[in-house]
């Protein structure tokens, strides 16, 4: 009888241990089911400069394949087509008047909400950031203090600079030292990301952002017309992929040798970014994590490339300035080859990505979780996204507000009557936005409706058409460029 009791106890203990082992395995399996995240950013890269968006002269096979394997958004917009504001909204899902990053070189506030990497770290993610940062504010030529890395475990960046050449491009290492790259900056930054992926614990989820600065101007050149133009020339091997005399400029733009040179360099830079993306996706394949990894590609904003006689590359309401590529691949939830017309604004990106990843951030985002709407191609007649530009008077940019719908582009200014910022375009009849219908009597009803949408979102975010006068009147003692405490909304309400 005692022997029977002893054997019974032994069998019970064995079963108990096996059960615990099974529970441990199941727990590990559940952890492994958390999806990985890879966000790849380019900079001045409009949607019309990608093969998958219909540009047949661009060489972008990896971007095109990403779109074929995932989903392409036809109506993604950079709400404020400027680098720092875009990145601030991407990290926070909040409006710039709340998150602090409302113009270039003004910091994203670290104390207003949980930010992207902070949210993911709470879920056990390994987090890293490579490439252009442009969220520190103030002097660009300095490393990022640990307390301002916003939840990223590893940050290798140059903050912001525009010389991408080997031997000129650099990054701040983890000792706070400046190191120079011996290859073209985007290739070097991609290799940093790849080296990181090779070193991490593959049993734990990871989230990385790879921010590749080009395509972007890097200074100016004196053209054959005697005028100064933005410079985009890049590596010889990339330039050699295009024949300058065969390049097709955007409709409505006067064809000149100087503009052909701009296009040539810009397009070559884009192909370089595509090559970098290909290297990164190859690494994901080697790691056998493709099926459980959400990959998103997008850009800060576009580049006018002198269309509409624009003085600046960006900060205008036109598609070339603010309509961005947005391609997302996540095999577990997104069928291959989808296209969607659902309207996406910058503030929607973070909550939407978290929605696909089934992560509840417990954050009251200003943006929407559009993960379901996008895959179902949901688009209602009155859907719109807000667009705007703020200024504090130190640049040649303009102050305007507006909206994008699937059918129209609208913007207005209370400071200037310049037709480049007071616009109404019928995007269906006039896809290249060559015919400005602002104050056209035939479109009076439509303009009134779009102005109503604009005032609606301005009221939602307590935007009283603030401009340089208002922002400078409440500027903190630290100046906006070194302000790490107060949001514009808090100071403007005092």
């Amino acid at each position: 009888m005692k022997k029977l009791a002893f054997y019974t106890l032994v069998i019970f203990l064995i079963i108990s241990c096996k059960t615990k082992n099974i529970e441990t395995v199941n727990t590990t399996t559940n952890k492994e089911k958390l999806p990985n995240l890879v966000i790849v950013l380019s900079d001045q890269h409009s949607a019309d400069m990608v093969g998958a968006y219909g540009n047949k002269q661009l060489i972008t096979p990896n971007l095109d394949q990403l779109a074929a394997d995932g989903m392409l958004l036809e109506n993604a917009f950079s709400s404020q087509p400027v680098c720092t504001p875009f990145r601030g909204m991407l990290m926070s899902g909040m409006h710039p008047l709340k998150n602090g990053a409302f113009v270039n070189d003004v910091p994203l506030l670290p104390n207003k909400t949980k930010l992207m990497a902070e949210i993911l770290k709470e879920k056990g993610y390994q987090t890293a950031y490579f490439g252009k940062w442009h969220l520190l504010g103030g002097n660009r030529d300095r490393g990022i203090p640990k307390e301002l890395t916003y939840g990223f475990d590893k940050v290798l960046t140059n903050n912001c600079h525009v010389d991408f050449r080997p031997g000129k491009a650099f990054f701040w290492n983890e000792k706070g030292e400046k190191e120079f790259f011996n290859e073209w900056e985007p290739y070097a930054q991609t290799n940093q990301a790849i080296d990181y992926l090779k070193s991490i614990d593959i049993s734990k989820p990871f989230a990385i952002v790879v921010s590749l600065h080009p395509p972007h101007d890097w200074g100016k050149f004196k053209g054959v017309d005697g005028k100064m133009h933005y410079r985009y020339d890049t590596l010889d091997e990339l330039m050699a992929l295009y024949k300058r005399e065969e390049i097709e400029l955007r409709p409505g733009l006067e064809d000149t040798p100087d503009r052909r040179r701009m296009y040539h360099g810009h397009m070559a830079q884009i192909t370089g970014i595509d090559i970098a993306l290909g290297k990164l996706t190859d690494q994901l394949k080697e790691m056998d994590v493709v099926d459980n990894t959400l990959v998103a590609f997008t850009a800060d904003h576009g580049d006018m490339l002198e269309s509409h006689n624009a003085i600046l590359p960006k900060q205008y309401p036109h598609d070339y300035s603010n309509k961005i590529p947005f391609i997302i691949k996540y095999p577990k939830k997104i069928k291959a080859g989808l296209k969607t017309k659902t309207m996406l604004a910058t503030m929607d990106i973070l909550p939407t990505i978290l929605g696909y990843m089934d992560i509840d951030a417990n954050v009251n985002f200003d943006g929407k979780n559009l993960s379901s709407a996008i895959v179902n191609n949901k688009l209602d007649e009155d859907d719109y996204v807000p667009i705007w530009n703020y200024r504090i008077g130190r640049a040649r940019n303009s102050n305007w507000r507006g909206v994008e719908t699937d059918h129209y582009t609208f913007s207005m200014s209370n400071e200037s009557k310049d037709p480049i910022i007071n616009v109404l375009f019928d995007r269906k009849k006039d896809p290249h936005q060559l015919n400005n219908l602002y104050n056209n009597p035939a479109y009076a009803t439509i303009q009134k409706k779009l102005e109503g949408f604009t005032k609606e979102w301005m009221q939602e975010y307590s935007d009283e058409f603030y401009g340089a006068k208002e922002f400078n009147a409440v500027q903190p003692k630290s100046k906006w460029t070194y302000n790490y405490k107060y949001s514009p909304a808090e100071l403007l309400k005092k």
Side-chain angles (χ1 to χ4, degrees):
M1 197 68 183
K2 289 181 179 179
K3 285 185 177 180
L4 179 61
F6 173 76
Y7 288 130
T8 302
L9 178 61
V10 169
I11 292 169
F12 172 78
L13 290 173
I14 291 172
I15 292 172
S16 178
C17 288
K18 284 185 176 181
T19 302
K20 286 181 180 178
N21 287 337
I22 290 170
E23 287 174 354
T24 302
V25 170
N26 285 342
T27 301
T28 303
T29 302
N30 287 337
K31 285 184 179 178
E32 289 175 350
K33 286 181 180 177
L34 283 168
N36 307 306
L37 174 63
V38 175
I39 297 176
V40 180
L41 300 174
S42 60
D43 197 323
Q44 290 178 186
H45 192 171
S46 55
D48 73 317
M49 288 292 183
V50 179
Y53 279 86
N55 191 321
K56 295 181 180 179
Q57 60 180 339
L58 257 296
I59 304 170
T60 54
N62 294 298
L63 279 167
D64 300 346
Q65 188 61 55
L66 186 67
D69 294 340
M71 178 172 57
L72 181 149
L73 277 69
E74 297 180 348
N75 281 321
F77 293 90
S78 178
S79 294
Q80 185 177 350
V82 195
C83 301
T84 297
F86 174 88
R87 288 157 187 267
M89 287 184 276
L90 172 68
M91 294 293 178
S92 68
M94 293 174 66
H95 191 277
L97 293 181
K98 297 180 184 180
N99 69 33
F102 71 107
V103 293
N104 260 355
D105 299 303
V106 164
L108 172 65
L109 297 174
N111 55 357
K112 298 305 173 188
T113 185
K114 282 191 293 186
L115 301 168
M116 177 194 289
E118 294 169 340
I119 293 166
L120 295 172
K121 275 180 68 68
E122 286 184 355
K123 304 296 181 180
Y125 277 77
Q126 303 164 93
T127 58
Y129 191 106
F130 305 93
K132 178 184 173 183
W133 183 254
H134 211 178
L135 288 168
L136 180 59
N139 176 21
R140 293 182 177 185
D141 191 17
R142 57 195 177 117
I144 314 301
K146 185 65 178 177
E147 64 272 18
L148 291 173
T149 54
Y150 306 133
F152 287 101
D153 298 319
K154 191 181 191 74
V155 175
L156 295 179
T157 177
N158 54 42
N159 189 16
C160 180
H161 85 125
V162 293
D163 195 338
F164 319 119
R165 295 173 296 177
K168 299 292 184 180
F170 63 88
F171 70 99
W172 297 94
N173 65 26
E174 291 174 292
K175 296 179 181 179
E177 303 164 334
K178 183 184 285 189
E179 287 190 36
F180 287 84
F181 292 125
N182 61 5
E183 57 184 334
W184 192 50
E185 183 185 83
Y187 293 166
Q189 290 166 337
T190 302
N191 287 333
Q192 286 180 326
I194 290 171
D195 289 342
Y196 172 79
L197 291 174
K198 289 178 178 178
S199 72
I200 60 175
D201 183 350
I202 198 66
S203 69
K204 298 177 181 178
F206 62 85
I208 66 171
V209 177
V210 185
S211 178
L212 307 173
H213 202 166
H216 197 282
D217 55 279
W218 58 288
K220 291 187 175 183
F221 68 93
K222 188 173 183 179
V224 296
D225 61 2
K227 300 176 182 178
M228 300 304 292
H229 302 269
Y230 285 104
R231 181 180 184 182
Y232 299 87
D233 306 327
T234 188
L235 298 178
D236 290 343
E237 58 264 36
L238 294 174
M239 298 288 281
L241 297 173
Y242 295 92
K243 294 181 179 180
R244 188 174 296 184
E245 66 276 8
E246 295 180 1
I247 291 174
E248 295 180 17
L249 275 59
R250 289 165 172 158
L253 182 62
E254 182 185 355
D255 192 343
T256 70
D258 299 319
R259 284 171 172 163
R260 284 190 171 273
R261 175 177 171 177
M262 292 173 66
Y263 270 69
H264 189 182
H266 186 78
M267 292 164 65
Q269 286 184 359
I270 289 172
T271 295
I273 294 302
D274 186 84
I275 291 169
L277 174 67
K279 291 179 179 179
L280 190 60
T281 53
D282 285 346
Q283 175 60 30
L284 297 177
K285 292 174 185 175
E286 282 189 29
M287 296 167 67
D288 195 25
V289 295
V290 171
D291 289 343
N292 195 39
T293 300
L294 188 156
V295 178
F297 177 90
T298 189
D300 289 5
H301 47 74
D303 194 315
M304 297 290 280
L305 292 169
E306 297 189 359
S307 290
H308 306 284
N309 296 313
I311 298 173
L312 301 172
K314 62 253 185 178
Q315 304 195 54
Y316 299 101
H318 305 70
D319 281 3
Y320 299 144
S321 170
N322 68 3
K323 189 173 184 183
I324 53 175
F326 198 98
I327 303 171
I328 186 168
K329 176 186 175 184
Y330 184 31
K332 285 191 173 181
K333 290 196 175 183
I334 298 173
K335 294 179 181 179
L338 291 181
K339 289 187 178 182
T340 180
K341 290 186 177 295
T342 303
M343 308 291 298
L344 178 89
T346 310
M347 292 180 289
D348 302 327
I349 295 175
L350 178 57
T352 297
I353 285 176
L354 294 177
Y356 282 120
M357 298 169 72
D358 293 320
I359 291 177
D360 182 3
N362 194 27
V363 172
N364 186 21
F365 294 115
D366 288 328
K368 304 171 186 174
N369 173 7
L370 297 173
S371 55
S372 176
I374 287 171
V375 293
N376 291 308
N377 196 23
K378 185 176 181 295
L379 179 68
D380 294 332
E381 182 180 354
D382 287 340
D383 284 350
Y384 69 84
V385 295
I387 56 172
W388 66 84
N389 200 52
Y390 296 125
R391 69 186 301 268
I392 57 175
R394 66 185 183 202
R396 293 181 295 170
N397 59 354
S398 303
N399 194 46
W400 52 265
R401 310 289 187 270
V403 291
E404 296 277 5
T405 75
D406 182 51
H407 200 139
Y408 298 102
T409 293
F410 170 78
S411 72
M412 60 184 183
S413 173
N414 67 348
E415 297 179 0
S416 169
K417 295 182 179 180
D418 191 337
I420 201 168
I421 54 173
N422 294 278
V423 305
L424 172 57
F425 294 116
D426 186 328
R427 300 173 64 238
K428 299 291 186 183
K429 296 180 180 178
D430 179 25
H432 303 293
Q433 301 181 321
L434 300 176
N435 184 19
N436 190 352
L437 302 167
Y438 193 86
N439 283 341
N440 184 319
Y443 282 76
T445 302
I446 291 169
Q447 181 167 328
K448 185 177 181 180
K449 181 177 182 179
L450 297 172
E451 185 174 336
F453 289 159
T454 302
K455 290 179 178 178
E456 180 180 74
W457 75 252
M458 289 176 67
Q459 183 176 7
E460 180 180 356
Y461 299 119
S462 301
D463 180 352
E464 297 183 15
F465 231 128
Y466 299 120
K469 179 181 178 181
E470 290 77 18
F471 288 124
N472 290 327
V474 299
Q475 183 171 231
K477 291 181 180 180
S478 61
K479 306 297 184 183
W480 287 117
T481 46
Y482 290 94
N483 166 51
Y484 299 100
K485 188 174 181 180
Y486 302 104
S487 72
E490 290 171 325
L491 295 176
L492 287 161
K493 288 176 183 177
K494 282 186 177 182

